[in-house]
Amino acid sequence: MGARSPQHEIRNDVREHRSPSYDIAPLFVNRWSSRSMTGESVDENQFMALFEAAKWAPSAYNNQPWRFLYATRTSDYWNVYFDLLSEENKTWAKRAAGLVVIVSKTTFDYNGEPSRTHSFNTGAAWQNLALEGVRRGLVVHGIGGFDYERAADVLSVPSNYAIEAMAAIGVRASPNILSEEMQERETPSNRKPLSDIVIDGTFDDIEDGGDE
């Protein structure tokens, strides 16, 4: 069997918490950051397909600033990556099939000048990766709770690259394996209405008046 076919419906567990205001691909709504994973390994073809999806993201001057450093749970580097996480994140990420550190090149290849949009472009690549994970029924959870400086050091990241985030990837499991506190958070979060985030005109025209 190959990769799962694209999801054509919003999943039942997601539908209870999310309802888009306009007709969009269910894939976008079905993506959410679960923490519950089985601890099983993910087949290499499935795992690498996520990075394949990421590489097709758009970027300024086609600079493709994204870099993905990773360790699977069977890798010699697993403990190096795992030890970067905050203690809270370790409690659930220990069951991931792989941990990823997302890095972006802060300069352009063609002239060495700073790239103002490197994080923006790398974020697009991350979104591709996450959506492909959802399409395959995997958990893909972005992580900000880790030691950024130590990650740059132990992973030998050059000074012209920025550490953006980490991610845990794994096989979805029942929420019951999580602590009671985390089980309460193991549901898809909703989103702000478009009127709060989309502005026709200047920032002052947004309905809530913007941040004071």
Side-chain angles (χ1 to χ4, degrees):
M1 296 291 291
R4 298 187 182 189
S5 60
Q7 299 180 60
H8 297 293
E9 295 183 355
I10 298 175
R11 295 200 318 261
N12 289 335
D13 61 319
V14 174
R15 194 188 306 275
E16 296 176 15
H17 304 277
R18 293 178 166 182
S19 178
S21 301
Y22 293 88
D23 181 23
I24 60 173
L27 185 67
F28 297 107
V29 186
N30 285 335
R31 189 222 60 79
W32 66 282
S33 299
S34 174
R35 294 178 176 84
S36 185
M37 294 174 282
T38 64
E40 298 172 72
S41 295
V42 172
D43 178 83
E44 183 178 6
N45 288 334
Q46 281 227 75
F47 193 62
M48 295 309 295
L50 307 189
F51 302 115
E52 176 69 22
K55 86 175 189 182
W56 294 103
S59 65
Y61 291 92
N62 196 27
N63 202 53
Q64 302 170 50
W66 45 80
R67 303 291 186 271
F68 300 96
L69 312 177
Y70 77 92
T72 62
R73 60 184 308 105
T74 59
S75 164
D76 292 340
Y77 290 98
W78 173 261
N79 287 335
V80 174
Y81 281 66
F82 186 74
D83 287 344
L84 296 173
L85 297 171
S86 68
E87 292 304 315
E88 179 181 3
N89 286 329
K90 285 179 180 178
T91 63
W92 60 268
K94 63 186 179 184
R95 297 187 184 91
L99 294 172
V100 181
V101 173
I102 304 166
V103 179
S104 63
K105 190 170 188 278
T106 62
T107 56
F108 286 114
D109 292 341
Y110 80 99
N111 64 3
E113 293 296 317
S115 168
R116 189 165 185 173
T117 60
H118 69 89
S119 291
F120 180 78
N121 299 153
T122 299
W126 151 251
Q127 177 78 332
N128 279 16
L129 186 157
L131 290 175
E132 181 61 22
V134 171
R135 190 180 79 86
R136 292 171 177 270
L138 297 173
V139 169
V140 181
H141 188 120
I143 301 172
F146 68 98
D147 192 327
Y148 282 70
E149 292 184 1
R150 188 156 167 258
D153 182 34
V154 299
L155 301 179
S156 302
V157 177
S159 60
N160 61 330
Y161 286 79
I163 305 286
E164 299 287 0
M166 285 187 70
I169 298 169
V171 178
R172 189 179 298 276
S174 166
N176 295 337
I177 66 172
L178 299 172
S179 67
E180 289 187 10
E181 179 185 355
M182 285 193 175
Q183 285 183 45
E184 294 176 0
R185 297 158 57 188
E186 191 68 1
T187 56
S189 57
N190 209 340
R191 291 295 185 268
K192 296 177 180 179
L194 290 182
S195 59
D196 283 1
I197 62 171
V198 181
I199 308 168
D200 179 7
T202 69
F203 205 95
D204 290 338
D205 294 322
I206 199 165
E207 285 191 6
D208 66 2
D211 294 331
E212 294 296 334

